[in-house]
Amino acid sequence: MAAGAPQGGVRVTPAALLLALLVLSVVALLSVAGLRVRWVRKREPAVVSVTLTATCPECGDSKTFTLDGAAVESWRAGMHAQRAFPELNAEDRERLISGFCPPCWDELWPDESNDVEWGEEA
């Protein structure tokens, strides 16, 4: 290791050292002038949970979801439910979007996997 090189690999650039000295000088001048310096730490936004209830318009069955508030805001602002709520399965996401419960969904829109594919003859 070269002489004078800091151990642990931390290097302080001259610009960072100058900035630190400038900040300390300002704090010292304010203290001499009788002013107190308060260091304010920026707080992280609080995690807010939102409770949504989806009621099926066909049968009236309801299901309640407790979701991250930021995810709900993103969804309401236009983000796709798949991206906003990756922790939910497809049925729960559809229930949030349309309100329909899985049995009513299946009754109203039956599985179309047996239908004729494009370009095939019936």
Side-chain angles (χ1 to χ4, degrees):
M1 189 175 274
Q7 291 184 351
V10 178
R11 298 183 77 186
V12 178
T13 63
L17 184 59
L18 184 60
L19 180 62
L21 289 173
L22 178 64
V23 168
L24 290 174
S25 299
V26 168
V27 170
L29 286 174
L30 290 174
S31 297
V32 168
L35 300 172
R36 294 183 66 200
V37 176
R38 248 182 80 206
W39 296 99
V40 179
R41 180 181 230 183
K42 185 176 181 182
R43 293 183 182 194
E44 294 296 319
V47 176
V48 177
S49 294
V50 174
T51 302
L52 299 176
T53 300
T55 303
C56 180
E58 192 70 17
C59 70
D61 181 49
S62 64
K63 183 170 183 177
T64 301
F65 299 91
T66 301
L67 303 164
D68 175 63
V72 172
E73 287 300 316
S74 296
W75 176 54
R76 287 183 174 165
M79 181 182 282
H80 292 277
Q82 293 88 334
R83 289 194 67 201
F85 312 115
E87 70 278 6
L88 296 180
N89 61 36
E91 285 181 353
D92 285 343
R93 288 192 306 261
E94 186 56 46
R95 189 150 187 174
L96 277 176
I97 294 167
S98 68
F100 286 100
C101 66
C104 290
W105 179 271
D106 290 340
E107 186 178 313
L108 292 169
W109 296 281
D111 185 19
E112 298 173 357
S113 62
N114 294 329
D115 286 355
V116 176
E117 295 292 322
W118 284 97
E120 291 182 7
E121 298 276 333

